[in-house]
Amino acid sequence: MGKDCGNHGHDDMRHTCRRLVAVLVGLAVLVGIIALIIYLVLRPTHPRFYLQDASLRQLDLSNSSGGLLSTSIQVTLASRNPNDRVGVYYDRLDVYASYKYQQITVAASLPPVYQGHGDVDVWSPVLSGPNVPFAPYLADAISQDCQAGYLILQVKIDGRVRWKVGSWISGHYHLFVTCPAFLVTNGGNGVPGANGFRFQTTTYCHVEV
């Protein structure tokens, strides 16, 4: 009799474990279904960024001491939240300029902001990079571009965002934005320097979240 009672105890434990596993699996499936329904209803879309203007104030290239580049450029960036039910918290936005993947200005921090449904925000920071060490091959490339009368820079944003749906707020997500800035001279034959360069057209930025 004692042996039979022991077997019944093990059977009860197995049944309990099976019920617990079934409950956990059911909860996981339910959470997945709820998440899928929320996604299909809300259809969250990442913010859209545009580079509206870029005014080159300084572009001085010195070949002494291995090559130094001094740059100052004022940019105008716009962001729009295309979601109807999802708000966006921009907790950190650092903006800088680069040339052929090398950062040429110090990152400028934009003030934190909440962007509601369909809202648009505009920023106009000045990006400066005094005496940035510049590789010789990049110095040659930027000189050739200027002589040809055009210059392509990238305005980049490195930030952290959160989503808001009703009273629920998500954790932080990394935001990375790249905006091409097309600068041209009126008649070509440009030289390393800010004189003569103008912003060509508003550009749509590539956004990764």
Side-chain angles (χ1 to χ4, degrees):
M1 294 296 292
K3 185 176 180 181
D4 290 339
C5 291
N7 288 337
H8 283 306
H10 287 303
D11 289 342
D12 290 342
M13 183 175 293
R14 283 196 294 268
H15 287 312
T16 301
C17 290
R18 288 171 183 169
R19 284 195 295 267
L20 180 60
V21 170
V23 170
L24 292 177
V25 171
L27 287 175
V29 172
L30 181 61
V31 170
I33 293 174
I34 293 174
L36 178 61
I37 292 174
I38 292 175
Y39 174 79
L40 292 176
V41 171
L42 298 178
R43 294 187 180 276
T45 303
H46 59 63
R48 294 174 182 169
F49 281 78
Y50 305 88
L51 180 63
Q52 295 183 335
D53 193 20
S55 178
L56 191 61
R57 298 180 173 183
Q58 181 185 17
L59 185 68
D60 295 328
L61 179 63
S62 171
N63 290 321
S64 61
S65 302
L68 298 174
L69 180 69
S70 294
T71 310
S72 178
I73 180 172
Q74 182 171 15
V75 299
T76 300
L77 292 157
S79 171
R80 179 180 178 273
N81 177 11
N83 296 288
D84 293 329
R85 301 179 181 90
V86 182
V88 185
Y89 282 101
Y90 296 101
D91 293 325
R92 178 177 64 82
L93 293 173
D94 295 330
V95 188
Y96 62 92
S98 69
Y99 175 78
K100 294 187 182 295
Y101 304 105
Q102 178 174 336
Q103 184 172 339
I104 60 174
T105 69
V106 178
S109 296
L110 302 180
V113 65
Y114 171 73
Q115 194 171 65
H117 314 150
D119 287 353
V120 176
D121 288 280
V122 180
W123 303 274
S124 294
V126 175
L127 311 178
S128 299
N131 297 323
V132 175
F134 216 50
Y137 77 95
L138 289 177
D140 292 339
I142 201 169
S143 295
Q144 292 173 7
D145 288 348
C146 290
Q147 290 293 337
Y150 69 90
L151 188 62
I152 302 176
L153 304 177
Q154 289 81 39
V155 178
K156 298 188 176 184
I157 301 175
D158 188 351
R160 301 277 283 178
V161 298
R162 290 177 295 161
W163 309 111
K164 183 178 184 296
V165 181
S167 59
W168 177 81
I169 300 176
S170 74
H172 284 98
Y173 288 83
H174 181 240
L175 174 75
F176 194 73
V177 182
T178 301
C179 309
F182 299 99
L183 303 167
V184 298
T185 58
N186 291 326
N189 299 322
V191 296
N195 293 335
F197 281 98
R198 57 182 175 81
F199 184 64
Q200 189 173 24
T201 184
T202 297
T203 55
Y204 176 74
C205 305
H206 177 70
V207 181
E208 295 179 18
V209 179

